[in-house]
Amino acid sequence: MVVELSSLAGTMAREYASRAGEPAAVAEALWQMELPRSTGDALPDSTPGALLALADRFDLLAAMFAIGAKPTGSSDPFALRRAALGVVNILRAQPALASITVERGLTAAADRLKQQGVDVSDESVESATEFVVGRFGQALRDEGVPVGLVNAVQALAEAPGTAEQALRDIQQLAGDPQLAPTVEAVQRITRIVPAETAPTYDRALLASDAEDALAVYVEELPDHARDGLPAWLPDAHRLVAPLTTFFDDVLVMDPDEQVRAARLGLLQTIVDRAPAGIDWKALDSAL
């Protein structure tokens, strides 16, 4: 039936399951496995349906990339772009599945394919992951989300549900007067401190009043690396004033290597205790 009329995929599965005496939830999940069928189509609204839809798409993507059948230019005979976009949008819409990452899903699919004798290389899984993650930013841009906000959460896109929540948090806090100055202060740190700097410092080397005052606030700052912006903002905003004074009064790149390391470590501690994965420079530009 489905071979002759492909539009009945899902519909027939639900019908056969119902007639076979399966619970209504099972029949409905089999129908939702085919969603979304096209851009703008409805998404699965149940967890079982979403999981089936994800499994089906992860399997398709892992298999096609494994045999080298990835899209090229405008050619996409297996509708892999649509499948990848489906993965992204399903995960964005299902907070309960936020722990599922693109890599995790593709790796699970690859493991099942290997059990069936299909040769799936690590490189093909990496390529498929990059392909799917790229659909996240495209989806947001197509929806009219400003480029600056897309860039601010793009680093989180391997977990679309997490990235979606971060975007919602930013939009929720957009009118909060504390947000812009706090983000500006953090991005100022990221512009100065080298990426490889460790979030550690020798408190004894922070001798000036400005350094001491900032260190007091940093030591009281909770670790919000795994939290969202709403939980982080009230605590982080308290750092804006002492941080501004610190930058005005202190030469961060002190000639003394140990002093310089202590100052950089102090600043990096602030960044490490902020929500992970946010591009602070991009967010500052977008606000």
Side-chain angles (χ1 to χ4, degrees):
M1 177 69 75
V2 173
V3 169
E4 294 296 329
L5 297 170
S6 60
S7 63
L8 291 178
T11 300
M12 296 309 300
R14 177 173 57 186
E15 185 68 16
Y16 287 145
S18 295
R19 289 173 180 265
E22 295 289 348
V26 172
E28 188 63 20
L30 289 169
W31 149 246
Q32 292 184 5
M33 182 176 72
E34 298 296 326
L35 301 178
R37 297 176 182 271
S38 59
T39 303
D41 193 13
L43 298 169
D45 60 10
S46 71
T47 298
L51 287 171
L52 285 178
L54 288 170
D56 184 53
R57 287 160 177 79
F58 280 134
D59 178 69
L60 173 65
L61 288 158
M64 292 299 101
F65 272 77
I67 64 173
K70 61 183 178 182
T72 57
S74 60
S75 176
D76 187 11
F78 301 104
L80 300 186
R81 292 188 179 94
R82 185 173 68 192
L85 186 60
V87 166
V88 166
N89 284 336
I90 290 169
L91 289 175
R92 289 175 61 198
Q94 288 281 341
L97 305 181
S99 63
I100 297 178
T101 67
V102 174
E103 182 181 19
R104 181 183 174 193
L106 288 169
T107 298
D111 289 343
R112 288 302 183 101
L113 288 167
K114 291 175 183 177
Q115 292 172 18
Q116 299 171 46
V118 179
D119 184 17
V120 185
S121 68
D122 292 342
E123 290 75 17
S124 70
V125 173
E126 291 173 7
S127 181
T129 299
E130 182 179 351
F131 177 76
V132 176
V133 169
R135 299 300 102 188
F136 177 82
Q138 186 61 55
L140 294 188
R141 288 189 290 272
D142 289 346
E143 294 167 12
V145 177
V147 174
L149 293 185
V150 175
N151 292 339
V153 299
Q154 183 63 47
L156 295 166
E158 190 175 313
T162 300
E164 177 70 14
Q165 185 58 57
L167 178 62
R168 291 178 182 175
D169 288 343
I170 293 170
Q171 293 169 331
Q172 172 191 330
L173 294 171
D176 192 320
Q178 293 185 345
L179 182 63
T182 308
V183 170
E184 193 279 333
V186 176
Q187 71 83 29
R188 190 173 180 183
I189 294 173
T190 62
R191 289 180 182 275
I192 294 173
V193 180
E196 68 279 4
T197 301
T200 58
Y201 56 91
D202 184 343
R203 185 73 164 76
L205 295 173
L206 303 174
S208 71
D209 290 343
E211 292 172 291
D212 184 65
L214 180 60
V216 169
Y217 279 94
V218 170
E219 288 164 2
E220 296 175 352
L221 179 66
D223 187 351
H224 289 291
R226 296 186 178 182
D227 298 332
L229 290 172
W232 165 80
L233 184 58
D235 291 326
H237 184 68
R238 299 175 62 243
L239 291 168
V240 173
L243 188 57
T244 300
T245 302
F246 177 89
F247 280 127
D248 288 342
D249 296 353
V250 176
L251 176 64
V252 177
M253 297 301 184
D254 193 274
D256 186 299
E257 183 177 346
Q258 290 185 320
V259 173
R260 181 171 67 250
R263 292 171 179 172
L264 290 172
L266 176 66
L267 294 173
Q268 186 60 34
T269 300
I270 297 173
V271 176
D272 271 42
R273 293 182 184 177
I278 299 295
D279 186 327
W280 301 103
K281 297 176 186 177
L283 181 55
D284 181 57
S285 299
L287 294 177

